[in-house]
Amino acid sequence: MSIFKIVCVAGISLCLVLTGCGGGGSGDSSEDIIDSGDATDTSGDEETDSSGDDTDGSDGNVLYYSIGGTVSGLIGSGLVLQNNTGDDLSIDSDGDFTFSTTLADETVYEISVVTQPSFPNGYCNILNGSGTLSGNAITNIEIICTGGRYTIVDTNQSLCYDSSTGVETVCSGVGYDADYSGHQPDYTLSEDGNSVFDHVTGLIWTQSTDLDGSGVIDVDDKLTQPEAASYCSGLTEGGYEWRLPSIKELYSLMDFTGGDPSAYTGSDTSLLTPFIDNTIFAPGFGDPSAGERIIDGQYATTTIYLSPEGTMGGNDTMFGVNFVDGRIKGYPYNFPSNNPKTFYLLCVSGNDHYGINDFVDNSDGTISDNATGLMWETNDYRSSNFEDAINYCESNTTAGWSDWRLPDIKELQSIVDYELAPDYSGSAAIHPLFNATSFTNEGGEEDWGAYWASTTHATSEGMGFSATYLSFGRSLGYFNSEVVDVHGAGAQRSNHKSDITFQADGSANEGFGTFYYHGPQGDILRLDNMVRCVRTP
């Protein structure tokens, strides 16, 4: 017969199982090491064969270790974790956790979230949640939670600019982006450096754009849009389920401390600041050696423009984010068919609710988005220029509230509905609960406006004379001497805050009034953009 004795060692999460042979045995003993996490005697589970050896066939030295870590950011209840033995663990507060079931050394472990917190709704992700036991208890698993399924990351803009001259000025609380502070960017890099966790959104990102691992980000790291989607779905990094991001997911990474280098004539990209945190991510600039411009840093998404007209005269279009020049544009993604455009990419995992709105009409001229926590005006207003837009919202008292403001560009982008478009739905790209004012555009078609945001679009030289706007109607350009939708409803562009002729490359009149245009696609410039105010309840 076998005799078992458990001896626990103070200060560590291990116990020794001393095994001896009774009934005339030789007196030899062996030591099994097990975890004592639940302080229960597990020796009763041991079985022996006729020779008295453990049934695992080992020499009697079996090591068992605990699996645990920490939870942070949890503000609700209902979170349930599970390890790969099927051991469920309910958690309702931040702090340390340990599963009751221990695992044998050299066992592969994998932790998952089986139930997300729901009181209130939140989202939790796991860092360092899988691996193989190797002689130690696991204590470094991180469960990082966010409060809300669609929390908007602040633009990170901290500087204010004179609207006429573009010169940096002191922020004085007049209503510019930098006068308000939202959910500041907050990232954690995984231990292996390959993944980035966003504490605000609950999304996990691949860290680098260097797909081929050459150490240089260039045109060889770009893929077509279908190739990018396939690449992400096939990725196994960190044990996460990866996907190509939507436009709203990818835009969450936009950082308006960047400067637009469109007028930059140099070649040293180290002098430029991209519109993404390059202390965390490794973004890509265009590859001049392959004939690209430095600003050709477009990233792929899954968001396809649904307009049957496409852009630029009929091209099927994907909305992409350019982290070099700081814009969203619609890009022809399968043209020409024999050599379609290629894009950089970042893959995403986690929080598959991100970007989904939950609008409620308050029946008082306001609409609440329960997903983002923001309240919006139901109606819009046509401004005369950027400063007029700022002043209108700052003095607004809709529904008796006095804390209205002009939204920053990321807040404004959150209410774009990329499943709507003028040539597809016959409406603005916004939920029909909102009232969107239509007008006759520069080409004579019924259209819906672009809307000012409070965010400045600074140049790489540090000049802030332009402001961002979001197109809820066609994003028009004077392209090949025609007024056409060049970037799609849902594009984010910019123009001068107070002087429509300042950046203009020319003017034209197609019978519906003189207009000015700028850039290679002839982006049509307007000062009288629309306004929709927002507040944070």
Side-chain angles (χ1 to χ4, degrees), residues 346-536:
L346 291 172
C347 303
V348 71
S349 184
N351 197 355
D352 53 9
H353 289 78
Y354 197 85
I356 300 174
N357 302 103
D358 182 11
F359 294 122
V360 175
D361 189 343
N362 300 316
S363 300
D364 60 357
T366 71
I367 294 171
S368 294
D369 186 353
N370 290 334
T372 63
L374 297 174
M375 179 184 286
W376 295 89
E377 276 195 301
T378 306
N379 298 321
D380 55 16
Y381 160 79
R382 182 178 294 278
S383 73
S384 57
N385 56 37
F386 173 76
E387 285 292 333
D388 179 51
I390 292 283
N391 294 334
Y392 172 78
C393 288
E394 288 293 311
S395 60
N396 197 359
T397 58
T398 295
W401 302 105
S402 59
D403 56 353
W404 295 99
R405 54 187 169 79
L406 189 65
D408 71 41
I409 192 63
K410 294 175 78 172
E411 292 171 327
L412 187 57
Q413 195 258 354
S414 77
I415 60 171
V416 177
D417 190 332
Y418 286 94
E419 295 184 355
L420 301 175
D423 293 314
Y424 175 71
S425 58
S427 69
I430 193 170
H431 194 283
L433 283 177
F434 293 90
N435 295 326
T437 301
S438 65
F439 70 106
T440 300
N441 69 22
E442 290 83 354
E445 294 181 287
E446 182 186 22
D447 209 345
W448 289 264
Y451 287 67
W452 283 119
S454 62
T455 307
T456 292
H457 194 274
T459 69
S460 57
E461 295 81 20
M463 301 300 291
F465 44 72
S466 288
T468 54
Y469 65 79
L470 225 304
S471 296
F472 285 79
R474 299 175 184 86
S475 192
L476 294 180
Y478 193 56
F479 187 67
N480 291 334
S481 300
E482 291 184 87
V483 174
V484 296
D485 188 358
V486 292
H487 294 133
Q492 177 250 298
R493 304 193 305 194
S494 64
N495 65 244
H496 199 282
K497 298 172 181 176
S498 61
D499 184 356
I500 202 66
T501 65
F502 183 83
Q503 297 165 287
D505 295 329
S507 64
N509 189 325
E510 296 295 303
F512 302 94
T514 298
F515 59 88
Y516 295 86
Y517 58 88
H518 170 73
Q521 288 85 44
D523 295 4
I524 290 178
L525 308 174
R526 301 179 186 137
L527 284 181
D528 59 343
N529 288 329
M530 303 300 296
V531 179
R532 193 179 304 278
C533 305
V534 71
R535 61 180 295 268
T536 303

Side-chain angles (χ1 to χ4, degrees), residues 304-375:
I304 304 302
Y305 191 29
L306 297 182
S307 170
E309 303 297 324
T311 59
M312 298 186 190
N315 294 312
D316 292 339
T317 296
M318 174 207 78
F319 285 105
V321 175
N322 190 327
F323 291 115
V324 178
D325 72 5
R327 295 178 173 91
I328 295 172
K329 288 183 178 179
Y331 300 102
Y333 69 93
N334 60 2
F335 178 83
S337 59
N338 63 339
N339 187 28
K341 182 174 176 60
T342 57
F343 305 88
Y344 290 126
L345 68 144
L346 291 172
C347 303
V348 71
S349 184
N351 197 355
D352 53 9
H353 289 78
Y354 197 85
I356 300 174
N357 302 103
D358 182 11
F359 294 122
V360 175
D361 189 343
N362 300 316
S363 300
D364 60 357
T366 71
I367 294 171
S368 294
D369 186 353
N370 290 334
T372 63
L374 297 174
M375 179 184 286

Side-chain angles (χ1 to χ4, degrees), residues 263-300:
Y264 179 63
T265 57
S267 59
D268 186 357
T269 57
S270 69
L271 301 176
L272 304 177
T273 303
F275 288 77
I276 189 172
D277 186 344
N278 61 354
T279 67
I280 295 291
F281 295 93
F285 291 84
D287 186 355
S289 68
E292 294 185 332
R293 305 165 299 171
I294 281 179
I295 62 171
D296 285 327
Q298 302 93 346
Y299 279 67

Side-chain angles (χ1 to χ4, degrees), residues 35-80:
D35 186 274
S36 62
D38 58 4
T40 58
D41 186 344
T42 60
S43 61
D45 297 329
E46 299 284 349
E47 297 178 8
T48 59
D49 61 16
S50 58
S51 66
D53 293 332
D54 294 342
T55 56
D56 65 4
S58 72
D59 62 359
N61 295 323
V62 182
L63 295 84
Y64 289 81
Y65 293 104
S66 62
I67 307 293
T70 59
V71 177
S72 62
L74 181 62
I75 62 172
S77 60
L79 172 64
V80 180

